[in-house]
Amino acid sequence: MEDIEDLVVGTGAPPGFRLPLTAVGVNLKKKKSNKLSQTSPSPEIPGTQSDSEYMAGQLSAFGYSIIDNPESADLWLINTCTVKSPSQSAMDTLIVKCKSAKKPLVVAGCVPQGSRDLKELEGVSIVGVQQIDRVVEVVEETLKGHEVRLLNRKTLPALDLPKVRKNKFVEILPINVGCLGACTYCKTKHARGHLGSYTTGSLVSRVKSVIADGVKEIWLSSEDTGAYGRDIGVNLPTLLNSIVSELPPDASTMLRIGMTNPPFILEHLKEIAEVLRHPCVYSFLHVPVQSGSDAVLSVMNREYTVSEFRTVVDTLTELVPGMQIATDIICGFPGETDEDFTQTISLIKEYKFPQVHISQFYPRPGTPAARMKKVPSTLVKKRSRELTSVFEAFMPYDGMEGRIERIWITEIATDGIHLVGHTKGYVQVLVIAPESMLGTSAIVKITSVGRWSVFGEVIETINHMNVKSASRKDISSQDKCSPCSDPNECTCTREPEPCASCGPESCGGQTTLEESAPSRNPTFPEDPNSRNLIGWLLRKRKNHVHKRVEGEIASGSKEKQEWARGSMGEWGVVDKALLGGMLVSFLTIMALLIHLGVRTLSSN
């Protein structure tokens, strides 16, 4: 299942390593064989992908199965996002195509919820963002020829609905819907409404359930993670600590905290930093700034200043070893001057964020910003290109080559060769390893770095079952990987061995490789030639190929991906000549040594 948002590649997003984009459908295994084509949201849009997985799960539970060819479908189901104008334009295109093919259609998500009177939605069944638990009845009524519209609801959908995960190792867990903000450009508030938080108990229960199902990463999803619980009398640190206490002590399941705006985490920075230091939590946070100018932020009604954003970034970077922060920028917001844009450029240059999601301003109908005087589109595009060039000039992973890192592997790269893992700082690492390593963690050596990711060589896998059995039998519930309050002093348990099993990063990088993995199974031993001339030349050749492969994967073309496959497994003429020359030299030296030895013996 893919979303229309995936059809629009966002500027500044790391390209090339997503799973293949294919529209899919669902086949109804009943007396009448009906097929439903579905599209689903991008993982970059909070909440929407989780909605798609829940809808797919319910349809599957009622006898529907996903099919690959939408053209043969009897009904299309489109889950929409209203964050970006191109997304809605893509939706309009799909609706026209569906109507031309005379297919029954159901549109779900933010667009119909926030703009229910759109002309394009006439004669179409629609499901609101809080009605996803009724998607089966909407589909079945639509197949009967009825138009159904479900948009209003006062309670949140249950978290334990049937679900089909896009990635079986990743659980996308919505912690709340809606938000407390009132950004002048945002349409999502119109669609998802005021803040509505799930209870801590229900979320912890869901975490326990998905861990038992074999999930290896839990992504908290929200329009604004930092605002969690303010409507029900709790706060984000309370939730995070409750979830962390349930994570396996061997760090076999990792937590990734979702996008958060600056205002609501300012008062909790130290508590959040403590959680981010935890060995079972990725040291990564997505904090949108949107502009480096206070004047623009004020017109956006973002409710914070650039100085406060800096406080968030500086505090987390100081308190969390290896902290990685991603951010967002909107170019060409109404009223943005050259000076405002210069301030944005300066902010990005100063911090050199490893990920910056750059978008051009698009007026969303019904928002205050849509009535403001626009910056000329040519200037907006020019600024977007300039900021993209500045961002892409950074090499955020320089210095990682040669480092030993623990990674968690959860997907296959689009080239079909590499597996994709992430370090504790959520740096993307590409490794060549068997698919059986999906859902595991490993110790890798970083062999080369690229612009969007790094390449690694697997040294050892981590056997979580052995780690668990090796832990003290008398570990109590409160001993489950409690957060490290000091980056140089891990307090996972009282014993050093179980603490080390949480990973080499758990104590601020102070543990040694031998200490941090008492029960790893070696699968890729180090090359015995690693210290001689031949080994050095082979590694240099491999690093050169890695850098070229990353570029070809990022380009996305089939021809270049085929080249990448060949490059990783075949030797060119120069390579063969080099290896042959070294072999001849080696044999010549051996012959000379034997000859000298024989002469010495004969002379005696």
Side-chain angles (χ1 to χ4, degrees):
M1 263 188 336
E2 299 301 330
D3 175 41
I4 52 178
E5 188 67 18
D6 273 331
L7 304 178
V8 185
V9 179
T11 305
F17 303 111
R18 297 180 181 177
L19 297 176
L21 300 183
T22 55
V24 299
V26 178
N27 179 26
L28 179 57
K29 298 177 181 176
K30 293 183 180 179
K31 291 183 180 179
K32 183 179 178 182
S33 181
N34 291 315
K35 302 172 184 178
L36 284 76
S37 171
Q38 296 193 7
T39 56
S40 65
S42 161
E44 293 177 9
I45 307 304
T48 49
Q49 186 180 357
S50 178
D51 291 349
S52 294
E53 292 181 348
Y54 275 123
M55 287 190 287
Q58 292 171 84
L59 290 166
S60 296
F62 275 80
Y64 294 90
S65 61
I66 294 175
I67 63 171
D68 294 327
N69 183 12
E71 300 301 325
S72 64
D74 295 305
L75 180 143
W76 287 16
L77 171 59
I78 305 173
N79 193 19
T80 64
C81 170
T82 190
V83 171
K84 296 180 181 179
S85 182
S87 176
Q88 186 166 328
S89 299
M91 180 205 73
D92 296 343
T93 301
L94 285 174
I95 290 176
V96 171
K97 185 176 180 181
C98 184
K99 288 182 177 179
S100 299
K102 297 183 178 179
K103 306 278 189 181
L105 174 64
V106 176
V107 177
C110 296
V111 172
Q113 186 76 61
S115 306
R116 62 188 71 186
D117 297 327
L118 284 175
K119 183 178 180 181
E120 291 79 7
L121 295 176
E122 291 179 3
V124 173
S125 291
I126 58 179
V127 182
V129 294
Q130 294 187 31
Q131 296 281 9
I132 58 174
D133 55 344
R134 298 181 63 184
V135 66
V136 173
E137 60 183 289
V138 174
V139 164
E140 294 191 337
E141 288 300 314
T142 303
L143 285 169
K144 295 175 185 177
H146 303 149
E147 180 184 337
V148 182
R149 297 199 159 205
L150 295 179
L151 292 170
N152 298 319
R153 184 176 184 147
K154 295 182 179 180
T155 59
L156 297 173
L159 290 170
D160 58 356
L161 294 171
K163 192 172 190 179
V164 174
R165 297 184 184 95
K166 185 176 180 180
N167 182 331
K168 69 178 182 179
F169 299 113
V170 177
E171 166 72 6
I172 300 173
L173 180 62
I175 62 173
N176 56 266
V177 299
C179 69
L180 294 176
C183 300
T184 55
Y185 57 84
C186 185
K187 188 75 171 178
T188 305
K189 180 70 175 280
H190 293 194
R192 293 188 173 259
H194 198 66
L195 181 69
S197 302
Y198 286 95
T199 65
T200 300
S202 65
L203 291 166
V204 169
S205 177
R206 181 65 182 176
V207 166
K208 292 179 182 178
S209 174
V210 301
I211 291 174
D213 286 344
V215 160
K216 300 303 178 185
E217 289 187 0
I218 299 172
W219 297 357
L220 302 186
S221 173
S222 169
E223 279 74 50
D224 187 354
T225 301
Y228 169 79
R230 290 175 179 256
D231 56 322
I232 56 175
V234 293
N235 58 36
L236 181 61
T238 299
L239 172 66
L240 295 178
N241 284 308
S242 297
I243 290 177
V244 163
S245 69
E246 299 299 332
L247 298 178
D250 59 359
S252 55
T253 300
M254 295 292 287
L255 178 69
R256 193 184 84 174
I257 302 175
M259 185 273 287
T260 181
N261 290 312
F264 299 112
I265 63 168
L266 278 166
E267 63 188 87
H268 300 303
L269 283 178
K270 290 186 178 179
E271 295 97 322
I272 292 173
E274 185 174 4
V275 173
L276 288 166
R277 287 199 301 269
H278 192 286
C280 305
V281 181
Y282 284 121
S283 304
F284 169 84
L285 199 60
H286 179 191
V287 187
V289 63
Q290 305 300 9
S291 175
S293 163
D294 283 340
V296 174
L297 291 178
S298 178
V299 177
M300 290 179 172
N301 197 28
R302 289 290 288 169
E303 300 180 338
Y304 60 86
T305 63
V306 175
S307 176
E308 288 171 327
F309 171 78
R310 288 176 181 272
T311 298
V312 172
V313 176
D314 293 343
T315 302
L316 294 180
T317 302
E318 177 186 355
L319 296 180
V320 184
M323 184 70 196
Q324 297 279 311
I325 292 178
T327 195
D328 299 349
I329 295 291
I330 298 175
C331 287
F333 192 81
E336 182 185 67
T337 65
D338 288 341
E339 174 59 27
D340 293 328
F341 181 66
T342 298
Q343 292 176 27
T344 297
I345 291 283
S346 297
L347 184 72
I348 300 303
K349 283 184 176 179
E350 177 182 351
Y351 284 97
K352 293 182 172 60
F353 299 104
Q355 296 180 40
V356 179
H357 307 126
I358 302 168
S359 61
Q360 301 173 23
F361 171 75
Y362 291 99
R364 311 298 296 120
T367 62
R371 300 188 295 270
M372 299 177 184
K373 185 178 180 180
K374 300 177 187 176
V375 175
S377 59
T378 54
L379 184 56
V380 174
K381 292 177 182 178
K382 178 178 178 293
R383 289 175 179 173
S384 176
R385 287 193 296 267
E386 182 180 348
L387 183 58
T388 300
S389 297
V390 168
F391 165 65
E392 293 184 349
F394 304 149
M395 292 297 290
Y397 307 126
D398 272 359
M400 287 192 67
E401 189 169 350
R403 280 170 50 178
I404 305 298
E405 295 277 353
R406 181 177 179 176
I407 65 169
W408 288 262
I409 303 171
T410 56
E411 61 181 312
I412 302 172
T414 55
D415 67 345
I417 300 172
H418 295 84
L419 300 185
V420 180
H422 291 90
T423 67
K424 189 178 187 300
Y426 212 68
V427 176
Q428 182 172 260
V429 182
L430 302 178
V431 296
I432 296 179
E435 289 187 24
S436 59
M437 287 192 66
L438 287 170
T440 69
S441 63
I443 301 300
V444 301
K445 181 177 182 179
I446 305 304
T447 55
S448 61
V449 300
R451 175 60 187 82
W452 308 106
S453 58
V454 302
F455 287 89
E457 195 173 75
V458 177
I459 299 174
E460 295 175 298
T461 58
I462 297 178
N463 188 326
H464 297 300
M465 295 300 293
N466 288 347
V467 171
K468 192 175 295 186
S469 62
S471 300
R472 290 179 299 130
K473 294 182 180 179
D474 61 341
I475 293 179
S476 61
S477 60
Q478 64 266 29
D479 286 330
K480 288 185 180 178
C481 263
S482 33
C484 296
S485 57
D486 188 316
N488 295 313
E489 182 177 350
C490 181
T491 60
C492 297
T493 64
R494 297 180 185 275
E495 301 289 331
E497 288 81 5
C499 169
S501 71
C502 293
E505 302 90 347
S506 61
C507 299
Q510 298 300 313
T511 56
T512 65
L513 176 60
E514 290 74 22
E515 290 172 338
S516 61
S519 58
R520 296 179 194 132
N521 291 333
T523 57
F524 293 88
E526 186 176 354
D527 186 347
N529 295 326
S530 62
R531 290 191 178 91
N532 62 28
L533 177 62
I534 295 177
W536 179 81
L537 288 170
L538 293 178
R539 287 200 309 277
K540 292 295 285 185
R541 185 253 181 199
K542 182 193 292 185
N543 292 346
H544 173 70
V545 172
H546 277 170
K547 290 175 182 178
R548 289 195 63 188
V549 168
E550 186 195 34
E552 305 305 349
I553 293 174
S555 72
S557 69
K558 290 185 178 179
E559 295 81 0
K560 291 183 177 180
Q561 287 183 13
E562 287 299 324
W563 174 88
R565 293 185 179 91
S567 296
M568 296 307 297
E570 297 179 5
W571 291 81
V573 175
V574 176
D575 297 316
K576 292 176 180 177
L578 177 62
L579 187 59
M582 289 188 292
L583 183 59
V584 169
S585 300
F586 175 75
L587 293 174
T588 301
I589 293 170
M590 291 299 295
L592 287 172
L593 290 174
I594 293 171
H595 176 69
L596 289 172
V598 170
R599 288 189 60 182
T600 302
L601 289 173
S602 61
S603 64
N604 293 334

